[in-house]
Amino acid sequence: MGDEIDEGLRSELQRQGIWVTSMQELYNWGRKNSIWPLQFGLACCAIEMIATAASRYDIARFGAEVFRPSPRQADLMIVAGTVTKKMAPQIVRLYNQMPDPKYVIAMGACAISGGPFKQGYNVLKGIDRYIPVDVYIPGCPPRPEALLHAFMELQRKIDNQKLSGPNKSDHLDREHPSEYPVPAFGKHDLVPRANPDVFRPPQIERV
Amino acid sequence: MSLHPYFEIVVFVGVALIFPVMPLILAWMWRRFFQPPKPGAAKNATYECGMESLGEAQIQFRSQYYLYAIIFLIFDVEAVFLVPFAVAFTGLPVGAFLSILVFLLLLIEGLVWAWGKGCLNWAK
């Protein structure tokens, strides 16, 4: 099912007018060309996201113009903007409510790290503390081209996902979780401050 | 041998049935054989824009709202029928005139009833 086809054999057959494909390629081809995003925006990055969906940049070219108002029908969560600590539990809950396979694009400096408001008392320092992020886009805000680039990167990731074998995609792995714990409001901060299963920042080693 | 004149419609209905049902069957088979189901507390909860959900999604509305339905019929749906009635008024046969009159009388009766009940008064 997920076996790779030899490239030489494939081009040889193509020259004879025979087109060969595999289940995995068909499945991924369909998935990557119909990524439906969840319709929500958090801050100014959402304006750029709206511009990406409008006619000038036209995300419909990538099959992703169908912004869904319900997480039940969405494949992709675009975290566009500053995630406040008040909003973070709702974001995680929406992520939990999306069906597998699901992907996350963290759009803009705030969503990936807290951005210019990092020192703020009520700003989450990156949504990747609670949910797994597939593509990060820096920028304040990123231009629509950057979001389109993130889309193409996500399409490339989907295209390379395996249907079987030890490296198969997470959503086909029975043991891989589909929901992540929703943080709660504590006395001073969200509890827990990060989900250690998801958030593994690089450790700085001083020598 | 000549085909039945409705044969094309039968083919049309057949294709129209297969076209939507086939992807549903394929999706069901995919879920059945390849993709493991991953239900969960949050995933199965009622959708409330990310807030913690309270209660069930299937709730009943109070029957008191029937007043709004009646007044909506009188003032909104009636106008939709009145405009073409007024446009075609001079060329109407007696039967059509009588039937629209019955329709109007039924709604006017509802209006009189609602007026008498005090539904048209501003709530103080």
Side-chain angles (χ1 to χ4, degrees), chain A residues 9 17 52-53 68 143 159 164 174:
Chain A
L9 177 66
T52 317
R68 303 315 295 185
R143 285 191 52 82
D159 211 17
S164 54
R174 202 169 283 276

Side-chain angles (χ1 to χ4, degrees), chain B residues 6 8 13 24 29-30 41 50 57 72 74-75 80 94 104 115-116:
Chain B
Y6 285 162
E8 285 174 18
V13 169
L24 289 177
M29 276 167 54
W30 185 269
F72 175 76
I74 293 169
F75 287 112
V80 173
V94 182
L104 283 182
W115 203 332

